[in-house]
Amino acid sequence: SSPESASEAAARRGERKGFYVRPSLAIEKGGGFFIPGLEGSRLRVAISCLVLLLLGLNRFPGYDASAPQVRSELIAGAAAILLLVQSLSQANSGKAKERTIDSAVSSPARVSYLAPDSSVESLWAANALLDLTRASSAILLEQREKSYFVSAAVGNYEDNPQFGEKTIDLPASALASTESIVTRGRLEFAQVFDLTPDPTRAALIKPILSSALVWVVSSRDGYDLSTKDQRDWVTAISAFTEL
């Protein structure tokens, strides 16, 4: 049989063609000289710091260098500083992305619900309330006979709530005023807080259209929904719902 070529011998041994064409890439990928943990941006930072250190030692304890040597040192120093800045910027960007991903994974997801016979505008209004206020959920209740059912709901739930045909009984005290703030623990509002994300500490109840529709805007983290700017947003969105 004919003798095998160099490329065939490399393939038989599992070597990668051209792996050492770029030494820095080979080091980062584990080929050749390698120190565990010293790869990627860390390797580039270490190299740039080493170059700057050597340039400084080259001038210690001080001597007069020729003009070509000064130019070479300036070019090498500028390249090392540029590499250092780029590596630090990439490292900070990577950490920021990791924090964003961790935050997205740990935070509850926004869940939307729209009853089959309800208008899409109700769902838009619920989303607007979450975007414009400190609320963690916005639920629109619609009256049927003596009870209410969920017409539209948007909230930051850790699980997927099942609204369906669940009915809610609201006490007359909540329907008598233009709006009221209720807190968890009051038994007459237990059904209301069963709809909100857990743990919800407070909810703003705002009846509209002669109490045929009722907004329940809840605060999961204890934000104060009774401040004027928060109530103004709820009033504005409620006016849109009445159209």
mmCIF file of all heavy atoms in Angstrom, residues 130-172:
data_model
loop_
_atom_site.group_PDB
_atom_site.id
_atom_site.type_symbol
_atom_site.label_atom_id
_atom_site.label_comp_id
_atom_site.label_asym_id
_atom_site.label_seq_id
_atom_site.Cartn_x
_atom_site.Cartn_y
_atom_site.Cartn_z
ATOM 1 N N LEU A 130 -50.527 47.689 33.913
ATOM 2 C CA LEU A 130 -49.277 47.135 34.440
ATOM 3 C C LEU A 130 -48.076 47.942 33.975
ATOM 4 O O LEU A 130 -47.098 48.085 34.716
ATOM 5 C CB LEU A 130 -49.127 45.671 34.011
ATOM 6 C CG LEU A 130 -49.356 44.654 35.137
ATOM 7 C CD1 LEU A 130 -50.828 44.656 35.537
ATOM 8 C CD2 LEU A 130 -48.937 43.258 34.711
ATOM 9 N N ASP A 131 -48.141 48.477 32.755
ATOM 10 C CA ASP A 131 -47.014 49.232 32.224
ATOM 11 C C ASP A 131 -46.909 50.629 32.838
ATOM 12 O O ASP A 131 -45.802 51.172 32.958
ATOM 13 C CB ASP A 131 -47.134 49.361 30.699
ATOM 14 C CG ASP A 131 -46.979 48.019 29.998
ATOM 15 O OD1 ASP A 131 -46.333 47.126 30.572
ATOM 16 O OD2 ASP A 131 -47.518 47.872 28.879
ATOM 17 N N LEU A 132 -48.034 51.205 33.224
ATOM 18 C CA LEU A 132 -48.054 52.603 33.652
ATOM 19 C C LEU A 132 -48.118 52.789 35.164
ATOM 20 O O LEU A 132 -47.949 53.908 35.651
ATOM 21 C CB LEU A 132 -49.241 53.327 33.008
ATOM 22 C CG LEU A 132 -49.212 53.373 31.472
ATOM 23 C CD1 LEU A 132 -50.510 53.970 30.935
ATOM 24 C CD2 LEU A 132 -48.024 54.182 30.974
ATOM 25 N N THR A 133 -48.388 51.727 35.898
ATOM 26 C CA THR A 133 -48.476 51.834 37.351
ATOM 27 C C THR A 133 -47.517 50.843 38.009
ATOM 28 O O THR A 133 -46.804 50.109 37.331
ATOM 29 C CB THR A 133 -49.918 51.549 37.844
ATOM 30 O OG1 THR A 133 -50.218 50.158 37.622
ATOM 31 C CG2 THR A 133 -50.928 52.405 37.106
ATOM 32 N N ARG A 134 -47.543 50.825 39.323
ATOM 33 C CA ARG A 134 -46.689 49.899 40.083
ATOM 34 C C ARG A 134 -47.403 48.590 40.382
ATOM 35 O O ARG A 134 -46.990 47.831 41.256
ATOM 36 C CB ARG A 134 -46.251 50.563 41.386
ATOM 37 C CG ARG A 134 -45.376 51.797 41.193
ATOM 38 C CD ARG A 134 -45.105 52.472 42.503
ATOM 39 N NE ARG A 134 -44.213 53.620 42.340
ATOM 40 C CZ ARG A 134 -43.896 54.461 43.312
ATOM 41 N NH1 ARG A 134 -44.397 54.285 44.516
ATOM 42 N NH2 ARG A 134 -43.079 55.467 43.083
ATOM 43 N N ALA A 135 -48.464 48.331 39.675
ATOM 44 C CA ALA A 135 -49.263 47.136 39.937
ATOM 45 C C ALA A 135 -48.573 45.880 39.426
ATOM 46 O O ALA A 135 -47.752 45.917 38.509
ATOM 47 C CB ALA A 135 -50.636 47.275 39.286
ATOM 48 N N SER A 136 -48.914 44.760 40.050
ATOM 49 C CA SER A 136 -48.430 43.462 39.591
ATOM 50 C C SER A 136 -49.516 42.676 38.879
ATOM 51 O O SER A 136 -49.225 41.661 38.251
ATOM 52 C CB SER A 136 -47.897 42.648 40.772
ATOM 53 O OG SER A 136 -48.897 42.510 41.761
ATOM 54 N N SER A 137 -50.758 43.134 38.951
ATOM 55 C CA SER A 137 -51.842 42.504 38.192
ATOM 56 C C SER A 137 -52.967 43.507 37.998
ATOM 57 O O SER A 137 -53.156 44.415 38.818
ATOM 58 C CB SER A 137 -52.371 41.243 38.895
ATOM 59 O OG SER A 137 -53.068 41.588 40.071
ATOM 60 N N ALA A 138 -53.676 43.347 36.898
ATOM 61 C CA ALA A 138 -54.858 44.172 36.607
ATOM 62 C C ALA A 138 -55.941 43.242 36.094
ATOM 63 O O ALA A 138 -55.757 42.559 35.080
ATOM 64 C CB ALA A 138 -54.532 45.246 35.580
ATOM 65 N N ILE A 139 -57.068 43.193 36.798
ATOM 66 C CA ILE A 139 -58.143 42.251 36.491
ATOM 67 C C ILE A 139 -59.431 43.028 36.302
ATOM 68 O O ILE A 139 -59.807 43.842 37.148
ATOM 69 C CB ILE A 139 -58.305 41.223 37.626
ATOM 70 C CG1 ILE A 139 -56.977 40.478 37.859
ATOM 71 C CG2 ILE A 139 -59.407 40.232 37.309
ATOM 72 C CD1 ILE A 139 -56.962 39.625 39.110
ATOM 73 N N LEU A 140 -60.078 42.787 35.181
ATOM 74 C CA LEU A 140 -61.366 43.427 34.901
ATOM 75 C C LEU A 140 -62.474 42.412 35.164
ATOM 76 O O LEU A 140 -62.531 41.354 34.535
ATOM 77 C CB LEU A 140 -61.430 43.905 33.451
ATOM 78 C CG LEU A 140 -62.729 44.603 33.039
ATOM 79 C CD1 LEU A 140 -62.940 45.883 33.856
ATOM 80 C CD2 LEU A 140 -62.731 44.923 31.545
ATOM 81 N N LEU A 141 -63.352 42.739 36.122
ATOM 82 C CA LEU A 141 -64.486 41.880 36.468
ATOM 83 C C LEU A 141 -65.755 42.412 35.803
ATOM 84 O O LEU A 141 -65.984 43.629 35.775
ATOM 85 C CB LEU A 141 -64.675 41.829 37.985
ATOM 86 C CG LEU A 141 -63.472 41.366 38.819
ATOM 87 C CD1 LEU A 141 -63.809 41.394 40.299
ATOM 88 C CD2 LEU A 141 -63.026 39.978 38.395
ATOM 89 N N GLU A 142 -66.552 41.520 35.273
ATOM 90 C CA GLU A 142 -67.821 41.891 34.637
ATOM 91 C C GLU A 142 -68.967 41.211 35.356
ATOM 92 O O GLU A 142 -68.890 40.026 35.695
ATOM 93 C CB GLU A 142 -67.812 41.488 33.164
ATOM 94 C CG GLU A 142 -69.059 41.919 32.416
ATOM 95 C CD GLU A 142 -68.985 41.615 30.930
ATOM 96 O OE1 GLU A 142 -67.859 41.317 30.448
ATOM 97 O OE2 GLU A 142 -70.025 41.665 30.261
ATOM 98 N N GLN A 143 -70.022 41.993 35.600
ATOM 99 C CA GLN A 143 -71.143 41.486 36.384
ATOM 100 C C GLN A 143 -72.068 40.624 35.537
ATOM 101 O O GLN A 143 -72.401 40.954 34.402
ATOM 102 C CB GLN A 143 -71.930 42.639 36.994
ATOM 103 C CG GLN A 143 -73.016 42.199 37.960
ATOM 104 C CD GLN A 143 -73.740 43.372 38.581
ATOM 105 O OE1 GLN A 143 -73.814 44.438 37.984
ATOM 106 N NE2 GLN A 143 -74.254 43.188 39.784
ATOM 107 N N ARG A 144 -72.458 39.506 36.117
ATOM 108 C CA ARG A 144 -73.485 38.636 35.541
ATOM 109 C C ARG A 144 -74.446 38.290 36.663
ATOM 110 O O ARG A 144 -74.070 37.578 37.602
ATOM 111 C CB ARG A 144 -72.876 37.361 34.960
ATOM 112 C CG ARG A 144 -72.182 37.557 33.625
ATOM 113 C CD ARG A 144 -71.705 36.229 33.087
ATOM 114 N NE ARG A 144 -71.033 36.356 31.809
ATOM 115 C CZ ARG A 144 -70.473 35.340 31.155
ATOM 116 N NH1 ARG A 144 -70.502 34.127 31.696
ATOM 117 N NH2 ARG A 144 -69.880 35.538 30.002
ATOM 118 N N GLU A 145 -75.662 38.821 36.521
ATOM 119 C CA GLU A 145 -76.654 38.686 37.583
ATOM 120 C C GLU A 145 -76.094 39.290 38.876
ATOM 121 O O GLU A 145 -75.770 40.459 38.914
ATOM 122 C CB GLU A 145 -77.075 37.221 37.752
ATOM 123 C CG GLU A 145 -77.742 36.644 36.509
ATOM 124 C CD GLU A 145 -78.133 35.204 36.678
ATOM 125 O OE1 GLU A 145 -77.752 34.598 37.712
ATOM 126 O OE2 GLU A 145 -78.810 34.660 35.786
ATOM 127 N N LYS A 146 -75.891 38.486 39.929
ATOM 128 C CA LYS A 146 -75.424 39.040 41.200
ATOM 129 C C LYS A 146 -73.932 38.829 41.429
ATOM 130 O O LYS A 146 -73.398 39.341 42.411
ATOM 131 C CB LYS A 146 -76.207 38.403 42.352
ATOM 132 C CG LYS A 146 -77.685 38.751 42.341
ATOM 133 C CD LYS A 146 -78.374 38.142 43.555
ATOM 134 C CE LYS A 146 -79.857 38.504 43.576
ATOM 135 N NZ LYS A 146 -80.548 37.925 44.773
ATOM 136 N N SER A 147 -73.270 38.077 40.564
ATOM 137 C CA SER A 147 -71.855 37.790 40.744
ATOM 138 C C SER A 147 -71.041 38.381 39.610
ATOM 139 O O SER A 147 -71.584 38.866 38.609
ATOM 140 C CB SER A 147 -71.628 36.271 40.815
ATOM 141 O OG SER A 147 -72.301 35.707 41.919
ATOM 142 N N TYR A 148 -69.737 38.331 39.771
ATOM 143 C CA TYR A 148 -68.805 38.832 38.766
ATOM 144 C C TYR A 148 -67.939 37.682 38.262
ATOM 145 O O TYR A 148 -67.665 36.719 38.999
ATOM 146 C CB TYR A 148 -67.903 39.925 39.359
ATOM 147 C CG TYR A 148 -68.623 41.217 39.661
ATOM 148 C CD1 TYR A 148 -69.333 41.372 40.846
ATOM 149 C CD2 TYR A 148 -68.602 42.279 38.757
ATOM 150 C CE1 TYR A 148 -69.999 42.546 41.134
ATOM 151 C CE2 TYR A 148 -69.270 43.467 39.044
ATOM 152 C CZ TYR A 148 -69.968 43.595 40.221
ATOM 153 O OH TYR A 148 -70.632 44.762 40.501
ATOM 154 N N PHE A 149 -67.502 37.792 37.013
ATOM 155 C CA PHE A 149 -66.545 36.832 36.469
ATOM 156 C C PHE A 149 -65.400 37.621 35.829
ATOM 157 O O PHE A 149 -65.523 38.818 35.541
ATOM 158 C CB PHE A 149 -67.206 35.897 35.457
ATOM 159 C CG PHE A 149 -67.449 36.529 34.113
ATOM 160 C CD1 PHE A 149 -66.583 36.279 33.048
ATOM 161 C CD2 PHE A 149 -68.531 37.380 33.903
ATOM 162 C CE1 PHE A 149 -66.803 36.873 31.813
ATOM 163 C CE2 PHE A 149 -68.750 37.969 32.671
ATOM 164 C CZ PHE A 149 -67.879 37.721 31.614
ATOM 165 N N VAL A 150 -64.289 36.951 35.594
ATOM 166 C CA VAL A 150 -63.111 37.611 35.045
ATOM 167 C C VAL A 150 -63.295 37.806 33.553
ATOM 168 O O VAL A 150 -63.391 36.837 32.797
ATOM 169 C CB VAL A 150 -61.837 36.794 35.329
ATOM 170 C CG1 VAL A 150 -60.614 37.480 34.719
ATOM 171 C CG2 VAL A 150 -61.644 36.602 36.822
ATOM 172 N N SER A 151 -63.317 39.068 33.130
ATOM 173 C CA SER A 151 -63.428 39.389 31.705
ATOM 174 C C SER A 151 -62.055 39.434 31.048
ATOM 175 O O SER A 151 -61.861 38.936 29.940
ATOM 176 C CB SER A 151 -64.141 40.729 31.528
ATOM 177 O OG SER A 151 -64.157 41.113 30.157
ATOM 178 N N ALA A 152 -61.088 40.050 31.725
ATOM 179 C CA ALA A 152 -59.714 40.130 31.228
ATOM 180 C C ALA A 152 -58.793 40.249 32.426
ATOM 181 O O ALA A 152 -59.168 40.818 33.456
ATOM 182 C CB ALA A 152 -59.533 41.312 30.285
ATOM 183 N N ALA A 153 -57.601 39.691 32.288
ATOM 184 C CA ALA A 153 -56.644 39.742 33.390
ATOM 185 C C ALA A 153 -55.229 39.676 32.841
ATOM 186 O O ALA A 153 -54.953 38.931 31.903
ATOM 187 C CB ALA A 153 -56.883 38.595 34.375
ATOM 188 N N VAL A 154 -54.351 40.479 33.442
ATOM 189 C CA VAL A 154 -52.923 40.454 33.130
ATOM 190 C C VAL A 154 -52.185 40.578 34.451
ATOM 191 O O VAL A 154 -52.521 41.435 35.278
ATOM 192 C CB VAL A 154 -52.517 41.601 32.179
ATOM 193 C CG1 VAL A 154 -51.011 41.604 31.969
ATOM 194 C CG2 VAL A 154 -53.230 41.482 30.847
ATOM 195 N N GLY A 155 -51.192 39.725 34.667
ATOM 196 C CA GLY A 155 -50.454 39.786 35.917
ATOM 197 C C GLY A 155 -49.145 39.036 35.864
ATOM 198 O O GLY A 155 -48.927 38.215 34.968
ATOM 199 N N ASN A 156 -48.281 39.343 36.818
ATOM 200 C CA ASN A 156 -46.982 38.672 36.932
ATOM 201 C C ASN A 156 -47.139 37.470 37.859
ATOM 202 O O ASN A 156 -46.890 37.552 39.058
ATOM 203 C CB ASN A 156 -45.928 39.642 37.461
ATOM 204 C CG ASN A 156 -45.728 40.827 36.524
ATOM 205 O OD1 ASN A 156 -45.802 40.683 35.316
ATOM 206 N ND2 ASN A 156 -45.487 41.992 37.092
ATOM 207 N N TYR A 157 -47.554 36.364 37.280
ATOM 208 C CA TYR A 157 -47.832 35.147 38.044
ATOM 209 C C TYR A 157 -46.676 34.165 37.919
ATOM 210 O O TYR A 157 -46.078 34.030 36.849
ATOM 211 C CB TYR A 157 -49.114 34.478 37.545
ATOM 212 C CG TYR A 157 -50.377 35.277 37.786
ATOM 213 C CD1 TYR A 157 -50.818 36.218 36.865
ATOM 214 C CD2 TYR A 157 -51.139 35.076 38.936
ATOM 215 C CE1 TYR A 157 -51.980 36.952 37.078
ATOM 216 C CE2 TYR A 157 -52.307 35.806 39.150
ATOM 217 C CZ TYR A 157 -52.717 36.737 38.225
ATOM 218 O OH TYR A 157 -53.861 37.454 38.437
ATOM 219 N N GLU A 158 -46.386 33.471 39.007
ATOM 220 C CA GLU A 158 -45.376 32.430 38.970
ATOM 221 C C GLU A 158 -45.921 31.139 38.365
ATOM 222 O O GLU A 158 -45.170 30.301 37.889
ATOM 223 C CB GLU A 158 -44.838 32.164 40.378
ATOM 224 C CG GLU A 158 -44.045 33.342 40.952
ATOM 225 C CD GLU A 158 -43.476 33.025 42.312
ATOM 226 O OE1 GLU A 158 -43.838 31.950 42.853
ATOM 227 O OE2 GLU A 158 -42.679 33.825 42.834
ATOM 228 N N ASP A 159 -47.226 30.972 38.400
ATOM 229 C CA ASP A 159 -47.860 29.814 37.775
ATOM 230 C C ASP A 159 -48.920 30.312 36.800
ATOM 231 O O ASP A 159 -49.094 31.516 36.608
ATOM 232 C CB ASP A 159 -48.487 28.894 38.827
ATOM 233 C CG ASP A 159 -49.436 29.658 39.755
ATOM 234 O OD1 ASP A 159 -49.626 30.879 39.529
ATOM 235 O OD2 ASP A 159 -49.979 29.052 40.686
ATOM 236 N N ASN A 160 -49.608 29.408 36.156
ATOM 237 C CA ASN A 160 -50.629 29.775 35.176
ATOM 238 C C ASN A 160 -52.000 29.703 35.844
ATOM 239 O O ASN A 160 -52.544 28.605 36.023
ATOM 240 C CB ASN A 160 -50.565 28.839 33.971
ATOM 241 C CG ASN A 160 -51.419 29.341 32.814
ATOM 242 O OD1 ASN A 160 -51.913 30.468 32.840
ATOM 243 N ND2 ASN A 160 -51.607 28.512 31.813
ATOM 244 N N PRO A 161 -52.586 30.828 36.231
ATOM 245 C CA PRO A 161 -53.872 30.787 36.935
ATOM 246 C C PRO A 161 -55.004 30.345 36.020
ATOM 247 O O PRO A 161 -54.997 30.605 34.816
ATOM 248 C CB PRO A 161 -54.061 32.241 37.381
ATOM 249 C CG PRO A 161 -53.288 33.045 36.389
ATOM 250 C CD PRO A 161 -52.113 32.198 35.987
ATOM 251 N N GLN A 162 -55.965 29.666 36.608
ATOM 252 C CA GLN A 162 -57.128 29.191 35.866
ATOM 253 C C GLN A 162 -58.328 30.075 36.242
ATOM 254 O O GLN A 162 -58.967 29.875 37.267
ATOM 255 C CB GLN A 162 -57.408 27.712 36.197
ATOM 256 C CG GLN A 162 -56.249 26.771 35.896
ATOM 257 C CD GLN A 162 -55.919 26.729 34.417
ATOM 258 O OE1 GLN A 162 -56.807 26.772 33.558
ATOM 259 N NE2 GLN A 162 -54.628 26.635 34.101
ATOM 260 N N PHE A 163 -58.596 31.071 35.422
ATOM 261 C CA PHE A 163 -59.713 31.971 35.705
ATOM 262 C C PHE A 163 -61.047 31.332 35.293
ATOM 263 O O PHE A 163 -61.956 31.215 36.080
ATOM 264 C CB PHE A 163 -59.514 33.308 34.996
ATOM 265 C CG PHE A 163 -58.335 34.080 35.503
ATOM 266 C CD1 PHE A 163 -57.202 34.238 34.738
ATOM 267 C CD2 PHE A 163 -58.346 34.635 36.764
ATOM 268 C CE1 PHE A 163 -56.111 34.947 35.203
ATOM 269 C CE2 PHE A 163 -57.269 35.348 37.253
ATOM 270 C CZ PHE A 163 -56.140 35.497 36.463
ATOM 271 N N GLY A 164 -61.127 30.928 34.013
ATOM 272 C CA GLY A 164 -62.307 30.227 33.528
ATOM 273 C C GLY A 164 -63.604 30.929 33.860
ATOM 274 O O GLY A 164 -63.748 32.136 33.692
ATOM 275 N N GLU A 165 -64.557 30.173 34.374
ATOM 276 C CA GLU A 165 -65.867 30.707 34.752
ATOM 277 C C GLU A 165 -65.960 30.953 36.253
ATOM 278 O O GLU A 165 -67.041 30.935 36.817
ATOM 279 C CB GLU A 165 -66.963 29.714 34.310
ATOM 280 C CG GLU A 165 -67.123 29.592 32.815
ATOM 281 C CD GLU A 165 -67.588 30.888 32.172
ATOM 282 O OE1 GLU A 165 -68.379 31.613 32.822
ATOM 283 O OE2 GLU A 165 -67.167 31.171 31.050
ATOM 284 N N LYS A 166 -64.833 31.193 36.894
ATOM 285 C CA LYS A 166 -64.838 31.442 38.333
ATOM 286 C C LYS A 166 -65.621 32.711 38.646
ATOM 287 O O LYS A 166 -65.422 33.749 38.014
ATOM 288 C CB LYS A 166 -63.401 31.579 38.829
ATOM 289 C CG LYS A 166 -63.279 31.747 40.340
ATOM 290 C CD LYS A 166 -61.821 31.922 40.741
ATOM 291 C CE LYS A 166 -61.045 30.653 40.475
ATOM 292 N NZ LYS A 166 -59.646 30.754 40.990
ATOM 293 N N THR A 167 -66.525 32.617 39.588
ATOM 294 C CA THR A 167 -67.339 33.772 39.967
ATOM 295 C C THR A 167 -66.815 34.378 41.261
ATOM 296 O O THR A 167 -66.246 33.695 42.113
ATOM 297 C CB THR A 167 -68.810 33.368 40.150
ATOM 298 O OG1 THR A 167 -68.893 32.334 41.146
ATOM 299 C CG2 THR A 167 -69.386 32.863 38.838
ATOM 300 N N ILE A 168 -67.015 35.690 41.380
ATOM 301 C CA ILE A 168 -66.529 36.446 42.535
ATOM 302 C C ILE A 168 -67.677 37.265 43.094
ATOM 303 O O ILE A 168 -68.407 37.929 42.344
ATOM 304 C CB ILE A 168 -65.356 37.374 42.150
ATOM 305 C CG1 ILE A 168 -64.198 36.555 41.577
ATOM 306 C CG2 ILE A 168 -64.886 38.184 43.348
ATOM 307 C CD1 ILE A 168 -64.223 36.478 40.075
ATOM 308 N N ASP A 169 -67.830 37.227 44.390
ATOM 309 C CA ASP A 169 -68.819 38.053 45.075
ATOM 310 C C ASP A 169 -68.102 39.240 45.712
ATOM 311 O O ASP A 169 -67.187 39.063 46.525
ATOM 312 C CB ASP A 169 -69.550 37.243 46.151
ATOM 313 C CG ASP A 169 -70.384 36.126 45.540
ATOM 314 O OD1 ASP A 169 -70.933 36.331 44.451
ATOM 315 O OD2 ASP A 169 -70.454 35.036 46.152
ATOM 316 N N LEU A 170 -68.506 40.439 45.328
ATOM 317 C CA LEU A 170 -67.917 41.654 45.877
ATOM 318 C C LEU A 170 -68.847 42.260 46.914
ATOM 319 O O LEU A 170 -70.053 42.366 46.697
ATOM 320 C CB LEU A 170 -67.657 42.672 44.767
ATOM 321 C CG LEU A 170 -66.570 42.309 43.748
ATOM 322 C CD1 LEU A 170 -66.509 43.359 42.656
ATOM 323 C CD2 LEU A 170 -65.211 42.168 44.424
ATOM 324 N N PRO A 171 -68.308 42.680 48.045
ATOM 325 C CA PRO A 171 -69.157 43.307 49.067
ATOM 326 C C PRO A 171 -69.671 44.662 48.597
ATOM 327 O O PRO A 171 -69.044 45.342 47.782
ATOM 328 C CB PRO A 171 -68.216 43.450 50.266
ATOM 329 C CG PRO A 171 -66.846 43.429 49.682
ATOM 330 C CD PRO A 171 -66.909 42.559 48.473
ATOM 331 N N ALA A 172 -70.818 45.045 49.109
ATOM 332 C CA ALA A 172 -71.440 46.304 48.698
ATOM 333 C C ALA A 172 -70.565 47.505 49.048
ATOM 334 O O ALA A 172 -70.605 48.533 48.361
ATOM 335 C CB ALA A 172 -72.811 46.440 49.361
#
